[in-house]
Amino acid sequence: MMRVTKIIADLRVPDLAAARDFYTGYLELSDEEFNLGWVARDTSAETGSCVQLVTQDAAAPVNPVVSVLVDDVEATYAGACERGYEIVHPLSTEEWGPTRFFVRAPDGNVSTSSATLTESSPPGGRRSARVSVHRSPIDAGSTEEGIT
């Protein structure tokens, strides 16, 4: 059984640097947890609130609208397969570290689950995982691709 540990908003933006002024300046999410050039996460040092900004995923076909951290990505993947959900991006270990997959929900949203070793994980220990839900432009007539 999967356990959700955190939920993070994923916002599609055309330009990370331009968008960050609003989120880091105005909203005071001033701690940059990471920046890969196509995805960056900014957090409030005071509250822990955060947002993840995404331009275009480096390996997956869709963009997320929310990331949900879970305790076991392999179990999450198995659960999606057992329920017959469409796997959009296979369970893969990406070159920048996380193990993840993408799945389409019956309502058209696409989610990604990813796991990375955390600094608090013991050697050979359990990985935390991130699940990101993506909104597909079903009725909008858009061909916009999503990312995570």
Side-chain angles (χ1 to χ4, degrees):
M1 184 166 151
M2 138 177 101
R3 182 174 60 98
V4 174
T5 60
K6 187 174 184 178
I7 298 175
I8 301 167
D10 287 306
L11 304 177
R12 183 177 172 117
V13 299
D15 182 314
L16 286 180
R20 290 189 74 236
D21 181 55
F22 176 82
Y23 296 100
T24 62
Y26 176 64
L27 296 182
E28 299 181 1
L29 302 177
S30 56
D31 286 349
E32 184 176 79
E33 289 187 45
F34 64 86
N35 185 336
L36 300 178
W38 57 271
V39 60
R41 185 181 307 151
D42 295 302
T43 303
S44 166
E46 185 178 325
T47 67
S49 298
C50 64
V51 67
Q52 197 158 271
L53 306 175
V54 184
T55 58
Q56 181 62 45
D57 189 88
V62 296
N63 289 322
V65 295
V66 66
S67 296
V68 181
L69 303 178
V70 298
D71 61 352
D72 188 336
V73 72
E74 288 85 5
T76 304
Y77 178 76
C81 292
E82 288 169 11
R83 292 173 182 255
Y85 296 140
E86 176 190 356
I87 303 301
V88 179
H89 179 70
L91 186 64
S92 307
T93 300
E94 307 296 358
E95 67 180 55
W96 61 91
T99 300
R100 65 185 188 159
F101 73 96
F102 287 62
V103 59
R104 185 178 315 279
D107 61 12
N109 287 314
V110 175
S111 68
T112 179
S113 297
S114 68
T116 56
L117 291 174
T118 62
E119 290 180 5
S120 60
S121 296
R126 211 169 176 96
R127 292 177 290 174
S128 65
R130 185 185 82 208
V131 181
S132 300
V133 179
H134 309 262
R135 173 48 105 182
S136 297
I138 296 172
D139 296 319
S142 171
T143 58
E144 175 180 305
E145 293 183 337
I147 353 179
T148 307

